[in-house]
Amino acid sequence: MQNRGLSHPTSRRIIVASLIAVLSSSAGCTTDEAAPPVGERVGTALIEVWRSGDRVAAEDLLDAAVVWEDRSSGTTAQGFPEVVEYLLGLHTWAESLFVDMVSIQATDHAATVEWVMEGVTRPRDDPNRQAHFRIDGVTVLQIESGRIVGAVDYSNPIGLILARGGRVTLPDGTELQRTLIDDDAGG
């Protein structure tokens, strides 16, 4: 029996075929992770719009026929101009705004974004003072072709209601109080 080694044509073909198979099987692999769903990108961009108040970024996120419901206030914004104003309106009454995404669950056609919004506002009945507010909420997004076509906000607005000068009375008669920022403490 003769030792043909690597110089034999059959051995070279096997090695070349093996190399081609290994290289072609790994050529399309860039990472172990799949690309994030479209809804994750859109949900993250929404949080950035709320943080920045960027009108162009808001417009880029929305379909022309978008409908946005706010279940806590019972309002609905329909169409591009109304929804842009709804999204950016918080910058007209909030100062030192902080928006954080707590979690996101997403697919290519939907996203559920849990968020916290905190800031400072001026009470309507005492505009020379400042009051801190916090709103915890969830926004459910419907997405088509990478744009928001429908959304529903669910939030707990009690902190904002109090900060803006509203009153909240619990069933037992207890009235919740707002917390004004002490001007001497740097507020």
Side-chain angles (χ1 to χ4, degrees), residues 33 37 62 95 130 162 171:
E33 295 180 28
L62 303 173
E95 303 170 23
Q130 294 179 323
L162 291 172

Side-chain angles (χ1 to χ4, degrees), residues 16-45:
V16 169
S18 297
L19 282 172
I20 290 171
V22 167
L23 292 174
S24 65
S25 69
S26 64
C29 299
T30 55
T31 66
D32 292 338
E33 295 180 28
V38 172
E40 187 172 327
R41 179 189 56 79
V42 171
T44 302

Side-chain angles (χ1 to χ4, degrees), residues 131-184:
H132 175 265
F133 71 90
R134 176 183 169 122
I135 304 171
D136 296 279
V138 173
T139 301
V140 180
L141 302 172
Q142 181 183 355
I143 301 162
E144 291 179 12
S145 301
R147 291 180 175 261
I148 301 169
V149 296
V152 181
D153 281 339
Y154 298 91
S155 63
N156 179 356
I158 290 176
L160 178 61
I161 291 167
L162 291 172
R164 297 287 289 164
R167 294 181 179 207
V168 177
T169 304
L170 300 178
D172 69 358
T174 304
E175 187 171 311
L176 300 179
Q177 300 291 317
R178 70 174 170 226
T179 304
L180 293 172
I181 298 172
D182 184 2
D183 291 332
D184 296 330

Side-chain angles (χ1 to χ4, degrees), residues 53-98:
D54 185 337
R55 181 172 297 278
V56 173
E59 292 170 355
D60 287 345
L61 279 179
L62 303 173
D63 183 80
V66 63
V67 176
W68 204 293
E69 295 179 61
D70 183 336
R71 292 288 169 91
S72 65
S73 68
T75 60
T76 299
Q78 296 183 345
F80 197 76
E82 283 185 23
V83 174
V84 170
E85 291 309 312
Y86 170 79
L87 291 176
L88 303 182
L90 61 101
H91 287 276
T92 63
W93 51 260
E95 303 170 23
S96 305
L97 185 66
F98 170 79

